[in-house]
Amino acid sequence: MNLLETVYNYIDNPYPLWKSEITTALVSDKLESLKMNGLPHREEYSTSWSINNNFANTIRQSVAEDSEFGNVYLEAPSDNLSPFYQEHGLIPNTYYDTILGSDKNELKKAFDTIGLIEPALTDVTKLVRCIQVLEQPDPEIDVSYSHPNSPFSIFVSVCNQSSNISNLRVAESIIHEAMHLKLTLIENVLPLVEPFKGKLYYSPWRDEKRPAQGVLHGAFVFRVVHDFYKSISKHDFSDDTTNFINERRNQIVYEISQLKRFTSCNDLTENGAILAKNLLPLN
């Protein structure tokens, strides 16, 4: 089966959304494309290279591993990415916090938490090669980001205090951004939205109108997050942690329920509409 057929099959029958077979095919195809554009080896991929085609020596530490695609690295912030940080409003943690502080341990605990649902961990570690940690503006606010020009990199904040709930919050950010990467790789193979013509649609996550592509991405990644919480709720947690999981699930159910009309939006391609209908309603 070729990649396009694999993507068609996934759009028609996407569950579980963290299917790793399609991810393996998508990542292999993208790595081959990057190799043709100057990346010597997948282990030499870095955020700096993806944004600036710069092979500057990036200080990094392994925080997880995929059996096929290698390590997932925590990267130190890079001076040559300063314009990128500024353009996208990103404030990376200091070198000290990233390399000498607790960031590495917090990410490892988050990956251990994702690993409670092993297929989800398998999918995430195939998609993510590099993580940079962002400053957390407030202890109750989590920040994350990814960019289509950086196909295997994500940016997340970590919590100052360590707990099961903190681990879940960081795990959610990692899953969230990894799934943005996954959907972007799918879009590289099969368009899901028509070229942007200026029409906007309500996004319950931003409480504002956004292009169809942004709303579809939101539906996809939050459906994955919901399904992760649904699966992980079967584990034995404290009452506080269980309440947190249930609250997040209920919140996502409510938010996605506001997208009922989105499945008929004219800016979705035929395949985008099929995926949207398969994501909604949320059970």
Side-chain angles (χ1 to χ4, degrees):
M1 185 182 300
N2 63 36
L3 180 58
L4 183 58
E5 291 173 329
T6 301
V7 171
Y8 274 128
N9 287 342
Y10 182 78
I11 296 298
D12 285 335
N13 182 26
Y15 293 99
L17 290 166
W18 48 64
K19 283 181 183 175
S20 62
E21 295 85 355
I22 183 177
T23 303
T24 298
L26 290 165
V27 172
S28 297
D29 181 74
K30 187 63 177 180
L31 284 170
E32 187 61 30
S33 173
L34 294 181
K35 183 177 179 181
M36 293 174 65
N37 284 281
L39 182 68
H41 189 274
R42 61 181 180 234
E43 277 294 311
E44 295 188 59
Y45 172 89
S46 68
T47 307
S48 178
W49 181 84
S50 68
I51 299 297
N52 295 324
N53 199 24
N54 188 322
F55 281 106
N57 185 26
T58 302
I59 298 173
R60 59 188 190 175
Q61 297 177 339
S62 175
V63 292
E65 185 177 4
D66 175 72
S67 59
E68 184 168 3
F69 295 114
N71 290 308
V72 180
Y73 290 106
L74 166 62
E75 288 185 332
S78 175
D79 289 341
N80 64 58
L81 285 173
S82 292
F84 177 82
Y85 298 145
Q86 293 173 8
E87 179 182 357
H88 300 286
L90 306 177
I91 304 175
N93 258 6
T94 65
Y95 172 87
Y96 178 87
D97 286 333
T98 301
I99 300 302
L100 303 176
S102 61
D103 288 356
K104 177 181 177 181
N105 287 335
E106 295 307 311
L107 289 175
K108 280 180 170 287
K109 285 186 283 188
F111 274 104
D112 287 343
T113 299
I114 298 171
L116 293 174
I117 310 301
E118 188 173 349
L121 178 65
T122 299
D123 211 40
V124 168
T125 55
K126 289 181 184 302
L127 289 159
V128 179
R129 300 269 60 79
C130 300
I131 302 177
Q132 292 200 14
V133 176
L134 302 173
E135 282 191 8
Q136 190 180 37
D138 181 278
E140 300 304 317
I141 298 175
D142 301 318
V143 182
S144 66
Y145 184 77
S146 55
H147 193 282
N149 291 345
S150 196
F152 303 120
S153 299
I154 65 173
F155 302 79
V156 301
S157 60
V158 299
C159 301
N160 293 326
Q161 295 182 343
S162 183
S163 68
N164 283 335
I165 293 177
S166 297
N167 296 340
L168 283 166
R169 287 169 56 185
V170 180
E172 177 179 334
S173 292
I174 293 170
I175 293 169
H176 179 120
E177 297 306 333
M179 293 303 126
H180 274 304
L181 299 183
K182 181 168 184 169
L183 193 56
T184 297
L185 292 176
I186 289 172
E187 289 177 304
N188 290 341
V189 178
L190 186 67
L192 301 176
V193 297
E194 301 289 351
F196 181 56
K197 298 176 183 177
K199 192 168 183 180
L200 301 176
Y201 302 87
Y202 179 67
S203 167
W205 303 285
R206 300 233 183 148
D207 194 24
E208 63 182 18
K209 290 189 173 182
R210 298 195 67 207
Q213 185 180 40
V215 179
L216 182 62
H217 266 257
F220 182 79
V221 301
F222 279 106
R223 179 66 200 243
V224 178
V225 169
H226 172 272
D227 290 357
F228 173 75
Y229 279 128
K230 182 178 180 179
S231 296
I232 209 171
S233 67
K234 299 170 186 176
H235 288 262
D236 187 21
F237 292 110
S238 68
D239 289 345
D240 285 348
T241 303
T242 299
N243 289 339
F244 171 82
I245 292 170
N246 291 336
E247 286 172 5
R248 286 297 295 133
R249 287 181 62 190
N250 291 336
Q251 182 178 7
I252 295 169
V253 168
Y254 171 72
E255 290 165 341
I256 289 186
S257 72
Q258 299 180 64
L259 300 180
K260 292 177 182 177
R261 297 181 181 178
F262 180 68
T263 57
S264 59
C265 122
N266 292 330
D267 285 347
L268 294 173
T269 65
E270 180 181 354
N271 291 294
I274 291 171
L275 177 60
K277 288 175 182 175
N278 282 332
L279 296 172
L280 308 171
L282 195 156
N283 298 319

